Amino acid sequence: MPVLARENTLTSFFDLKIAPLGFDVITFLILSEIHRRQTKCDEIHFVIVPNESTGLNVFGHLNPFGDDQATWRMFNLASQAAGLMDTCHGMTICPTREHARSVVAASSGPTYPKQYDIDNPAPDSWIFPLTLMYGNMGVEIPSLTPPAQALEYADTWIAENAGGRKVISITLREGSFNEARNSNVADWAKFTAWIDKETYFPVVLPDIETVTEWPRPEFGDTAFFCEAVLNLQLRAAFYRRCYLNLIVGAGPEELQRYDGGARYIKFRSIAPHELEWEPSHALRHGLPPDGRYPFLTPYQKIVLEPDTFTLIQSEFLKMAEKIEARPEDAFAVHPLRFPKPIGSDHIIDVFNRFVDGVQYDHAFKYIIMYLGLHPEDDATKTFLRKFVVRNGIEGALKTIGSVIVAEWPVEPIRKLFVDAYNEASDEFAWAVCIAMIDVGVGQTETAEEWLSKAEQLASGDPSRQAQVSSCRGWLELAGGIAVRSIEHIETANELDPSPDFGAQLVLVWARVGNIKKAGEALNNIMETTDADTRDEVAIWLRTVTANTGPLEQVVKVLLSHTETG
């Protein structure tokens, strides 16, 4: 088989076993481009890997589509998205995973995800929080480049329809999935009736599920552009050419989010029922309270609240005033990057937001990614060590467990902890954390060595003995001895009763398929803890068990408890 990727080509594998076949492919391409820059490659070869199936059937938990819908998305969304990244110079749609395996073998340059393993693909290679993390490190986020032909088509449509007026796009969401995120259609219709038609030319881009239903009576004579809904590259070009784009949180927003030349206001950034959640949506993503992304241009705004007419009207008028104040600047293509220099203070602040949002895995992932780019930042390293000591072993193990379950690289964390242990050899926390890392990555021999060190340091201290017993439980589980695993964790809970050990029992019972016992452990947490603790346990379990089979059943039970008080 010929070599498909030269050494200066990044081969990027979008694996439908762990990624949804939706607009998230755009985030994946953005992350691929970040990785291309870091590896100093010249180009990207984009590869789509199907799920465990034949042909273009991509059925799976994340891809609940029939054959026709899957094929449509493959050719009209994923493949078109590749054309928005000007460094993407090649594309392969693999008919089977076996074909993809041959592509992996023939690729001679770097890959994204790094060291891609088709048998164990990294589950986080496509997620939006990663671009937020990079933005919060000061990394410039790549901007999409609508093709010249698509821009020409968009310019022609605008010239023939707008009559010289300023085009305002309104992208509606009316999907049958997750309807809580749908647009407030009545208020958008009210907005199109209110806007000054002599100055502005509002254009509706319908949801693709309703694209054949237009025109709609509630929008009167408002223009609609269904062709842009059905062609991804034309849609991206149209957004770039509009005076201002108005949208709610939905897939197409990614075309605006990653375009430094698009002006937009995004309403209903989170579903209305999530506004009252604690920790807040912003904290869970490491963001400030207003939810502002770290890479917005001055002419892009995130609005957390729902899209009411009054709010749409107010935000529109403020943004239009800002655009008119500096039109030459407003219509330039801006870099997508944090507006100020990044230092350790900012990194620590973002880390603490993740922790406050009970996103321990994201917190450590973020700070380790940053230290990988800035290994000389001793202030951040010192903070991380102090954090583990200050928050105690329970917080540290919860963090490590989250990172391991999320299948994120743990070697940088391990090295940091080993260095800390060597500098303070009597520190119990470091020994247990290193042991837990080794358990998580299957290094049972070294895990036992570190547990023995921790056991010596735990002598006479029930709390420390409980932590060692817990770790031995996970070590036994890794070795396939479920009964002894449960005995160790139950012993830990007897030595030092806590919601953390209770949650571990929920997880381990679910891991061995005993949902009844997992439910009993869960009920015990519900009956013996306060509401705040139950909420924290719920969020942590939801974080570490998302989409993992039997565990998800347990999480649903737990969430039903917490949501009903």
Side-chain angles (χ1 to χ4, degrees):
M1 183 174 181
V3 174
L4 295 177
R6 302 188 306 277
E7 291 183 1
N8 66 338
T9 297
L10 174 74
T11 308
S12 183
F13 294 92
F14 187 63
D15 195 323
L16 296 174
K17 184 177 181 179
I18 48 83
L21 188 53
F23 280 89
D24 304 279
V25 68
I26 296 171
T27 290
F28 176 83
L29 286 164
I30 293 296
L31 291 165
S32 297
E33 173 61 12
I34 291 173
H35 197 63
R36 182 198 69 80
R37 295 177 183 180
Q38 291 176 348
T39 56
K40 296 181 169 53
C41 286
D42 295 333
E43 59 190 8
I44 294 173
H45 173 209
F46 178 49
V47 182
I48 299 178
V49 181
N51 199 355
E52 304 285 358
S53 58
T54 58
L56 296 178
N57 180 347
V58 293
F59 278 116
H61 177 75
L62 294 173
N63 297 295
F65 313 117
D67 289 348
D68 291 341
Q69 176 66 245
T71 302
W72 168 268
R73 284 172 172 257
M74 187 78 77
F75 290 110
N76 292 277
L77 198 164
S79 61
Q80 284 200 36
L84 299 173
M85 187 62 62
D86 57 8
T87 56
C88 185
H89 294 168
M91 178 177 177
T92 299
I93 300 178
C94 300
T96 65
R97 291 189 77 82
E98 283 308 306
H99 179 268
R101 194 179 299 276
S102 67
V103 177
V104 175
S107 302
S108 60
T111 65
Y112 180 78
K114 187 178 181 181
Q115 298 175 335
Y116 170 70
D117 180 355
I118 193 169
D119 294 316
N120 187 31
D124 69 324
S125 60
W126 54 273
I127 62 172
F128 174 48
L130 283 180
T131 58
L132 293 177
M133 289 183 193
Y134 276 120
N136 264 321
M137 294 176 205
V139 173
E140 182 172 337
I141 304 303
S143 189
L144 299 174
T145 305
Q149 186 63 67
L151 289 167
E152 183 179 330
Y153 288 143
D155 289 339
T156 299
W157 190 92
I158 290 172
E160 292 178 353
N161 290 276
R165 289 171 290 174
K166 300 169 182 177
V167 181
I168 310 297
S169 83
I170 298 169
T171 302
L172 296 180
R173 187 190 194 279
E174 296 182 279
S176 56
F177 172 72
N178 203 353
E179 295 181 10
R181 297 184 179 277
N182 281 351
S183 303
N184 186 348
V185 174
D187 280 36
W188 283 108
K190 188 175 180 180
F191 175 76
T192 61
W194 165 83
I195 197 170
D196 178 7
K197 302 291 199 311
E198 292 185 4
T199 303
Y200 302 106
F201 182 64
V203 180
V204 172
L205 274 67
D207 190 293
I208 196 166
E209 289 191 28
T210 66
V211 72
T212 60
E213 300 175 7
W214 288 74
R216 294 252 290 267
E218 64 264 45
F219 284 89
D221 61 356
T222 301
F224 53 97
F225 193 8
C226 293
E227 294 88 343
V229 174
L230 297 173
N231 186 284
L232 189 78
Q233 295 182 3
L234 179 58
R235 185 197 285 262
F238 185 66
Y239 286 152
R240 170 73 70 89
R241 292 306 199 221
C242 284
Y243 178 86
L244 181 60
N245 301 284
L246 306 176
I247 194 168
V248 297
E253 69 165 286
E254 302 220 3
L255 297 171
Q256 300 174 14
R257 175 193 296 163
Y258 300 120
D259 186 351
R263 294 146 299 283
Y264 71 84
I265 306 173
K266 173 186 163 188
F267 297 87
R268 196 182 286 256
S269 295
I270 58 175
H273 66 279
E274 294 181 24
L275 284 172
E276 304 303 321
W277 280 12
E278 291 295 341
S280 70
H281 173 273
L283 279 179
R284 296 198 306 274
H285 286 81
L287 301 174
D290 62 2
R292 178 182 174 86
Y293 301 159
F295 49 81
L296 290 177
T297 80
Y299 309 98
Q300 300 174 341
K301 185 168 184 180
I302 304 299
V303 179
L304 298 178
E305 292 76 21
D307 45 337
T308 63
F309 167 69
T310 302
L311 186 60
I312 298 168
Q313 180 189 52
S314 171
E315 294 294 342
F316 168 78
L317 290 172
K318 287 188 285 188
M319 185 61 78
E321 182 179 3
K322 181 180 286 190
I323 292 171
E324 291 302 320
R326 299 184 63 193
E328 291 186 3
D329 184 59
F331 292 97
V333 178
H334 292 261
L336 297 173
R337 64 185 178 211
F338 196 79
K340 299 177 182 178
I342 298 288
S344 57
D345 287 348
H346 176 78
I347 301 301
I348 292 168
D349 184 44
V350 174
F351 178 91
N352 284 329
R353 289 179 199 159
F354 279 127
V355 170
D356 290 342
V358 201
Q359 301 297 302
Y360 299 95
D361 54 340
H362 285 76
F364 265 59
K365 173 71 171 179
Y366 168 69
I367 208 164
I368 293 300
M369 284 171 59
Y370 169 77
L371 288 173
L373 296 176
H374 302 278
E376 75 291 344
D377 189 344
D378 291 334
T380 299
K381 291 179 185 177
T382 299
F383 162 78
L384 188 56
R385 294 179 183 180
K386 288 181 177 179
F387 172 84
V388 173
V389 174
R390 183 176 69 248
N391 288 275
I393 190 66
E394 290 183 10
L397 286 180
K398 189 179 292 185
T399 299
I400 297 301
S402 299
V403 174
I404 289 171
V405 173
E407 297 181 37
W408 282 338
V410 296
E411 187 55 36
I413 303 176
R414 189 183 191 282
K415 183 179 183 306
L416 193 73
F417 287 2
V418 170
D419 289 345
Y421 178 87
N422 290 335
E423 293 174 15
S425 60
D426 62 342
E427 184 50 63
F428 173 77
W430 306 120
V432 177
C433 286
I434 298 164
M436 196 61 181
I437 289 173
D438 289 349
V439 169
V441 298
Q443 299 295 327
T444 55
E445 188 173 321
T446 55
E448 179 58 46
E449 291 176 4
W450 283 102
L451 273 179
S452 296
K453 294 178 182 180
E455 200 162 33
Q456 294 174 9
L457 294 165
S459 178
D461 186 329
S463 176
R464 289 187 170 189
Q465 290 172 340
Q467 296 296 346
V468 173
S469 186
S470 168
C471 289
R472 288 205 180 280
W474 290 102
L475 184 59
E476 296 286 5
L477 186 63
I481 309 176
V483 174
R484 289 173 60 182
S485 169
I486 293 166
E487 288 176 354
H488 280 298
I489 297 176
E490 286 181 334
T491 297
N493 202 33
E494 291 170 3
L495 286 167
D496 186 19
S498 75
D500 289 317
F501 293 136
Q504 289 182 37
L505 282 173
V506 174
L507 292 178
V508 75
W509 278 120
R511 279 277 172 88
V512 300
N514 194 326
I515 302 302
K516 181 180 178 180
K517 283 289 188 180
E520 291 174 1
L522 182 62
N523 286 329
N524 185 59
I525 295 175
M526 296 299 107
E527 294 171 358
T528 59
T529 58
D530 58 30
D532 289 342
T533 303
R534 290 198 298 269
D535 287 344
E536 181 176 339
V537 171
I539 292 166
W540 180 67
L541 283 174
R542 180 171 51 193
T543 299
V544 301
T545 63
N547 308 322
T548 52
L551 294 177
E552 191 179 7
Q553 301 175 38
V554 179
V555 175
K556 287 180 179 178
V557 174
L558 180 55
L559 293 178
S560 70
H561 276 276
T562 57
E563 289 169 1
T564 59

